[in-house]
Amino acid sequence: MGVTSRFSSPGLRSRRAMLRIALKSLAHDRGKLVASLAGVAFAATLVFAQVGLYAGFLESSSAVIRHVGGDVWVMAKGTAVVDNGERLSAGSREIAAAHPCVERVRGLVLSFQALRKPNGSLEAVQVVGFEPSPKHVVPWALSRGLPQDLHAPMRVAIDRLDLEKLAIAGDPIGAELGIGSQSVSVAAVTDGIRAFTLAPYVFAELDTARRLTLLGADQVFYWVLDLARPECASDVVASVGRHPDLVARRTDEFRSLTEDYWVAGSGAGTALGFSAVLGLVVGVVIVGQTLYAVTKEHLRELATLKAIGASPAEIVSFVTWQAAFLAIVGGGLGLGMAVAVQGWAIEVGLNIVLSGPVLALGCGAVLAMCTVASLWSVRAVLALEAAEVFR
Amino acid sequence: MRRVLVRSDALEKTFGEGELETPVLKGICVEVFAGELVLLMGPSGSGKTTLISVLAGLLRPTAGNVELCGAPISELHEAEVTRVRRRHLGFVFQSYNLFPALTALDNIAEVLKLKGLPAREARERAGNALADVGLGERLHHRPGELSGGQKQRVAIARALAGDPSLIMGDEVTAALDTHTALHVLEILRRQVTSERGILLVTHDHRLERFADRVIEIEDGRISRVVPGGATTGEAA
């Protein structure tokens, strides 16, 4: 019969039909829909924000390493984290540069110092002294001034977020600061560079930084090596490692060490992970409850569809379409809220990074949350007997 | 020769096991033909609902055979039974079982699309089916905006729109007043054709005059089969 043949391959049409039935049923009860979307959005915001904060902490803790760059870092033996380096002896530069693969050696100073604010009180700061390099712009994120503004002696750059902490009112350009017995002048301002240690960065070129940290002419805290061929990094590391007072690490290795030291070692990662998981649990409960309530309300209708001839997969799709809708719309709202929170967080000194991997992880978590939340309902519809329609 | 739509042979259905074992159907042999409206009547607990569920392939018999529209469904896999129901059966229920979020038209059209019909044809058929049951003016009303009788007519239209060979119903008039119940039965009676039959489970003796046969069931057995009003001429 004609009718029979037309009914024989439901395929895409049946999936679309179930999609419409599922979404219209979900939208029918506006209160439940709004509650569910709010639940997913809240959970998604928490996940995106917590994962973004974690990524931000990682980024902040190793920002100097990433921006100074290079292939290998040479440091004093026992250095476990970039912020706790020790000054290197005067002859260390020759040792670092000895390998023929080393193309360029750049000195770096990174040292905590006491800064006297204009109001006379003291504040711990981290002096970052660098050698200008066209490939590696330090300081990064300049919002006022240019890198060459730091060429003149005793010129420094500070971050906009630290102005209040450093008690600088009005235009910071030209403001005078005292570090140790030296006086420096602010020549440039960065925007959004916040150290994990919360001690404000003071960027200066190498000579100025040496004067501020009382180092000799050839002294630094790190030698950063640019290699002619990155593949000879292992040789360079081994070569430097033969010196009893020095150790060399690949840049990525040193970055990971620093990130682990601050983020994992401080427990910040665990705390953020716990908050993210808590958000997901809250989301699972809210979404699970809504999906289950909507499913339960429609069990007779679903049993009817089953009796009429809908397959178990089609019946389950009633739940999965709803879960997918909540995940996509709620997740999207959550991401929007996370972006809003990101803007606010930067003003209070928190760096929420919403990079590609963070978004992928957050979206995956939201999807997993809605999947888990739908399991109760899926179980309910799978247990549904078509004969229920006659009871 | 009349076409047999559903036939059972020595049908048995038992629920539970061991001490809790309860035989509900005890050797039922029944046939429903195209061109007739058959009522299945009996006291509560007599096994009517179980019988119609087994005949529709919604429950598996414990013993015996069921042939539905030519398919031996008691021997087929669940997926194949589902396909037989999809092709040949329409259902009408006491509580209508309509999706509250969908309009009358969509309640029918979406089911037809679920069965694989193209959207335009599904909507056209749904509209025609609603017009056939006198609801041409209520296409875009949701179930909450319809009376009980209107909801039942939407359910009948849903069953009819799929052009089934057999319509099965359970207490389809139980929630309706006499006038509406008779109107609903008149509509159902009109759907009986040489290609289609109807089997209804009911307590409602008012419906007997629309039936060709009345099968009475008691304690899991057929106690008697009598001609209905449609055969004896009472329906007019």
Side-chain angles (χ1 to χ4, degrees), chain A residues 3-4 6-7 10 13-14 17-18 20-21 24-25 28 298 300-302 304-311 314 318 385-387 389-391, chain B residues 49 52-53 58-59 82 85-87 91 93 95 97-102 106 110-111 113-118 121 125 142 158 162-163 170:
Chain A
V3 169
T4 299
R6 280 198 298 277
F7 282 0
R13 283 186 209 123
S14 70
M18 195 46 107
R20 279 188 292 269
I21 294 172
K24 283 182 179 175
S25 296
H28 187 58
H298 291 86
R300 289 197 75 83
E301 289 83 47
L302 291 173
T304 304
L305 293 182
K306 206 167 181 178
I308 288 169
S311 67
E314 285 166 340
F318 177 83
E385 285 184 28
V389 290
F390 285 132
R391 286 178 194 154
Chain B
T49 299
I52 199 171
S53 299
L58 302 176
L59 285 179
T82 299
R85 281 203 306 269
R86 196 173 190 134
R87 287 176 188 175
F91 291 96
F93 309 101
S95 50
N97 298 2
L98 301 172
F99 280 95
L102 304 185
D106 284 342
E110 296 302 344
V111 167
K113 289 180 213 167
L114 199 64
K115 289 185 169 194
L117 225 64
E121 190 179 342
R125 271 211 206 187
R142 292 195 169 83
R158 178 175 62 186
D163 195 17
D170 183 35

Side-chain angles (χ1 to χ4, degrees), chain A residues 238-377:
Chain A
S239 164
V240 174
R242 281 194 278 277
H243 191 280
D245 299 329
L246 297 177
V247 66
R249 291 193 172 97
R250 288 166 182 270
T251 304
D252 284 348
E253 180 198 352
F254 191 38
R255 195 191 70 199
S256 296
L257 266 180
T258 297
E259 288 173 350
D260 287 350
Y261 180 91
W262 284 122
V263 182
S266 66
T270 311
L272 292 171
F274 180 74
S275 300
V277 169
L278 202 63
L280 286 173
V281 170
V282 171
V284 163
V285 172
I286 294 173
V287 177
Q289 244 180 354
T290 304
L291 285 177
Y292 190 69
V294 173
T295 304
K296 217 171 165 201
E297 274 170 18
H298 291 86
L299 281 180
R300 289 197 75 83
E301 289 83 47
L302 291 173
T304 304
L305 293 182
K306 206 167 181 178
I308 288 169
S311 67
E314 285 166 340
I315 299 293
V316 167
S317 72
F318 177 83
V319 177
T320 53
W321 281 126
Q322 292 182 346
F325 174 83
L326 291 176
I328 292 167
V329 178
L333 287 173
L335 179 57
M337 283 159 66
V339 170
V341 169
Q342 182 188 35
W344 166 82
I346 196 76
E347 294 304 321
V348 295
L350 289 172
N351 183 20
I352 296 177
V353 175
L354 295 175
S355 60
V358 171
L359 295 183
L361 191 65
C363 290
V366 171
L367 203 62
M369 176 184 82
C370 289
T371 303
V372 171
S374 69
L375 291 180
W376 291 283
S377 302

Side-chain angles (χ1 to χ4, degrees), chain B residues 42-58:
Chain B
S44 293
S46 58
K48 307 183 298 292
T49 299
T50 303
L51 177 57
I52 199 171
S53 299
V54 175
L55 293 178
L58 302 176

Side-chain angles (χ1 to χ4, degrees), chain A residues 67-138:
Chain A
H67 287 279
V68 170
D71 298 303
V72 172
W73 283 50
V74 177
M75 61 203 77
K77 198 155 255 176
T79 304
V81 57
V82 70
D83 305 274
N84 292 345
E86 288 179 35
R87 61 188 63 193
L88 301 177
S89 59
S92 59
R93 188 182 196 289
E94 283 67 39
I95 297 165
H99 196 284
C101 192
V102 176
E103 194 173 65
R104 187 170 176 218
V105 180
R106 289 181 282 143
L108 183 80
V109 168
L110 191 62
S111 171
F112 287 97
Q113 296 293 321
L115 176 143
R116 188 168 297 281
K117 297 190 245 183
N119 62 13
S121 62
L122 291 173
E123 182 74 45
V125 296
Q126 231 176 335
V127 174
V128 182
F130 57 92
E131 285 186 49
S133 160
K135 270 175 69 182
H136 307 285
V137 179
V138 180

Side-chain angles (χ1 to χ4, degrees), chain B residues 128-199:
Chain B
N128 291 341
L130 283 167
D132 282 351
V133 297
L135 288 177
E137 306 295 315
R138 294 282 187 275
L139 302 183
H140 303 294
H141 286 62
R142 292 195 169 83
E145 300 159 344
L146 299 172
S147 68
Q150 288 172 330
K151 280 188 252 193
Q152 193 58 291
R153 283 191 275 159
V154 174
I156 292 169
R158 178 175 62 186
L160 290 173
D163 195 17
S165 307
L166 179 62
I167 295 175
M168 290 183 168
D170 183 35
E171 302 290 2
V172 296
T173 57
L176 307 177
D177 60 62
T178 299
H179 174 75
T180 311
L182 296 180
H183 182 50
V184 163
L185 253 292
E186 279 167 12
I187 291 169
L188 276 173
R189 179 71 228 185
R190 285 204 302 268
Q191 308 312 320
V192 177
T193 66
S194 59
E195 295 295 322
R196 181 186 292 146
I198 297 179
L199 175 62

